[in-house]
Amino acid sequence: MVAQLAYCPRRFHLAYVEGRWADNAETDGGRLAHRRVDEGEQLLPVSGEVTPERRTLRSVSILDEARGISAKLDMVEIWRENGADVPEALPVETKRGTAPDLPEGAWEPERAQLMLQALLLRSMGFRVTEGAVYYAGSSKRVAIQLHDALEARTLELVDGVRAGLAQRELPPPLGDSPKCPRCSLVGICLPDETLALGEAHGAPGSGASPEVRRLFPARDEATPFYVQEQGAFVGKAGETLAVSREGERLGDARIKDVSQLVLCGSVGVSAAAVHLLCGAGKPIVHLTRGHWFCGVTQGHGLKNAFDRAAQFRVAADQDACLRLAREFVRAKGSNQRTLLRRNCSPCPESELDAMARLLRRVDEVTAIDELLGIEGSLASRYFGAFSTMLRPREEASDWEFSFTTRNRRPPRDPVNALLSFGYALLAKECTVALLAAGLDPYWGFYHQPRHGRPALALDLMEEFRPLVVDSAVVTAVNTGMVTGRDFVQSGAACAMRDTGRKAFIRAYEGRMDQLATHPLFDYRCSWRRLIALQALLLSRVLRGDIPGYQGITTR
């Protein structure tokens, strides 16, 4: 804790107050460098049992109850000088990187760690005058002098830790710091984004850097693992999810490559697989075979309620709900209009003009009911022209992909069946993103809470409906990924066959993996990353870390 606070107060708060954590190459490399010192814990002998022979102990836990400080030392060397009453000790801290060129020999977090370890060893009756840092990257041990000034600074950090653990407000991010690119929590902290949005809203002292750096990967390495073979069973084989049916192995996926397990219909999962996924922080998403989003199974996740407390507080404020609702509707309507303008042939200029007039009225509404009316009018004009974007290939002409209006429960034509399934997939994506951000997906601001409805997930997904799902539907139809043979119609209902569902999942996931330019930050990342980013930014708006929410729109 002391090292994290010395490195960055915001990182300390995220890790130890809010319980957020993420790994990257730096943390993975650190574990690798510590693999030897973490091999089994050794006990520190009492000072009277220390002999002149120099001994090396690894993974040594020490507690100083008087100071309320504990630590697990990577390594400590102990010995007794001839005739000395007090034995000597040298704490050694292991780091994965290379030794820095500094007069002090190490950065402040490492020096503070060693000073605390020295204080703990002294409380056990040892004499400690210096420590050392072993840098695995340069295979070099650097001696660190433990002086009074360092002790005073370290005890100051200890007091800072105690005060920080009781603090609910998120400390401000570091401004344009070289520490940020290497930090594993940078995708949660969002330092440049927070400063830039503060600057955009005129927040005093925001000090935004002129350019927002994308400090997290453009795409997630792990992706959703869909299982829709009816009667299949997902089990655990080591660190792998294994899918089988009636004794036949159908496929598998390493847990490190899975971001979420998506079960479609009658698919079973073992307790061992559930435990593996919960322990790894990977949710299990449940969909019916008829494309209904049922819910999510997940582990404890975040162990604080600060974001949810802020969410419920804002939800009780009608003016605040209206401000957020305006952004959701404005972004959705703007993106619907953009999709029509880009893809319609011929372009319905009258509808585009009417939608532009409706969008200008969004800021004038004084109640959410009025906003619902504007959203309905925008949707009516949008879906009225939706069919002009659909140009199925000749080989799909055995089923006419006609579309006149949006219908559901059940959908009555192939296009509506695709839209309904896509919106269910998007709802689960937004639910997972909101849970990861620490919010309650069932308590919304625009969509009112109702039993069984993920209202906040529906709020968040509004701006992404046209950009992700509608775009994927147009692509799937126009490229022939789905054809009339992928649907079955019975009476007034239309449903997808397994082939159509698999084909559309490919189209949907392909769209989620595409890179898009963020309209505010001007960097590129995948649509799945953008959804997670918006969920995090929304949580920061609710906590007051960012002045206001802005929806994702494209030109």
Side-chain angles (χ1 to χ4, degrees), residues 146-429:
L146 306 177
H147 45 73
D148 292 343
L150 178 58
E151 180 178 347
R153 171 57 180 158
T154 300
L155 293 176
E156 180 184 323
L157 287 168
V158 170
D159 292 338
V161 166
R162 293 198 173 102
L165 290 173
Q167 180 181 341
R168 291 195 175 191
E169 293 76 22
L170 192 61
L174 302 178
D176 196 23
S177 171
K179 297 179 181 179
C180 295
R182 300 179 63 182
C183 177
S184 65
L185 299 187
V186 69
I188 299 171
C189 170
L190 303 177
D192 286 16
E193 292 86 347
T194 299
L195 293 171
L197 289 173
E199 180 79 2
H201 286 81
S206 57
S209 56
E211 180 181 354
V212 177
R213 302 165 293 176
R214 179 178 58 75
L215 299 175
F216 49 84
R219 292 185 175 95
D220 293 326
E221 293 182 1
T223 56
F225 183 39
Y226 291 85
V227 183
Q228 64 166 343
E229 191 74 26
Q230 300 305 291
F233 186 78
V234 182
K236 172 183 177 292
E239 294 295 306
T240 297
L241 297 176
V243 184
S244 60
R245 189 184 64 179
E246 297 178 352
E248 178 188 0
R249 186 76 164 259
L250 301 180
D252 51 47
R254 296 182 303 173
I255 190 69
K256 64 177 292 186
D257 297 328
V258 175
S259 63
Q260 55 187 255
L261 174 64
V262 185
L263 306 179
C264 305
S266 181
V267 179
V269 59
S270 72
V274 172
H275 295 165
L276 177 65
L277 287 159
C278 287
K282 311 294 180 74
I284 304 171
V285 179
H286 304 273
L287 301 175
T288 69
R289 196 177 183 188
H291 318 148
W292 286 95
F293 171 43
C294 299
V296 177
T297 301
Q298 65 168 18
H300 288 298
L302 296 180
K303 298 177 176 64
N304 74 78
F306 300 151
D307 291 291
R308 295 193 180 202
Q311 176 185 355
F312 300 146
R313 186 168 56 250
V314 171
D317 183 340
Q318 293 186 354
D319 291 338
C321 287
L322 182 60
R323 286 194 296 271
L324 289 168
R326 284 183 185 135
E327 273 303 308
F328 299 143
V329 172
R330 187 198 332 274
K332 176 186 178 183
S334 175
N335 291 330
Q336 287 175 328
R337 186 175 181 275
T338 297
L339 200 67
L340 288 180
R341 182 170 50 80
R342 285 180 178 177
N343 298 287
C344 282
S345 180
C347 186
E349 294 293 343
S350 60
E351 297 299 323
L352 295 179
D353 291 342
M355 292 179 75
R357 289 193 296 271
L358 287 167
L359 287 169
R360 286 193 290 271
R361 289 175 50 196
V362 168
D363 281 333
E364 301 171 2
V365 300
T366 58
I368 285 181
D369 286 345
E370 295 179 59
L371 202 56
L372 286 167
I374 292 178
E375 184 201 10
S377 299
L378 284 166
S380 176
R381 294 186 177 279
Y382 171 67
F383 285 115
F386 194 87
S387 62
T388 61
M389 295 190 288
L390 302 175
R391 293 177 289 278
R393 293 185 172 185
E394 290 297 322
E395 56 263 36
S397 61
D398 56 332
W399 188 293
E400 184 180 2
F401 281 91
S402 60
F403 181 90
T404 55
T405 186
R406 177 78 177 108
N407 55 68
R408 56 199 180 103
R409 298 179 184 174
R412 295 191 289 273
D413 58 78
V415 176
N416 274 295
L418 290 169
L419 289 170
S420 293
F421 184 40
Y423 293 150
L425 295 178
L426 185 58
K428 65 92 177 168
E429 197 71 44

Side-chain angles (χ1 to χ4, degrees), residues 77-89:
E77 297 177 358
I78 59 173
W79 71 96
R80 185 187 298 275
E81 297 287 353
N82 290 330
D85 294 331
V86 180
E88 305 279 343

Side-chain angles (χ1 to χ4, degrees), residues 8-55:
C8 172
R10 189 173 173 95
R11 177 180 170 89
F12 163 81
H13 182 92
L14 289 170
Y16 293 108
V17 179
E18 300 198 2
R20 299 177 188 267
W21 187 252
D23 284 312
N24 64 0
E26 302 283 334
T27 59
D28 289 341
R31 274 192 290 271
L32 186 64
H34 279 80
R35 66 190 184 282
R36 186 180 179 193
V37 297
D38 290 338
E39 287 179 355
E41 188 169 343
Q42 292 183 282
L43 300 178
L44 184 72
V46 296
S47 59
E49 296 176 356
V50 178
T51 65
E53 180 186 1
R54 196 171 185 120
R55 295 176 56 194

Side-chain angles (χ1 to χ4, degrees), residues 50-65:
V50 178
T51 65
E53 180 186 1
R54 196 171 185 120
R55 295 176 56 194
T56 299
L57 304 174
R58 292 182 172 85
S59 193
V60 178
S61 294
I62 307 179
L63 167 65
D64 182 349
E65 293 186 2

Side-chain angles (χ1 to χ4, degrees), residues 100-108 111 133 135 142-145 147:
D101 184 15
L102 296 171
E104 302 89 346
W107 300 104
E108 183 182 61
R111 290 185 286 117
V133 180
Y135 290 98
V142 178
I144 306 297
Q145 296 303 312
H147 45 73

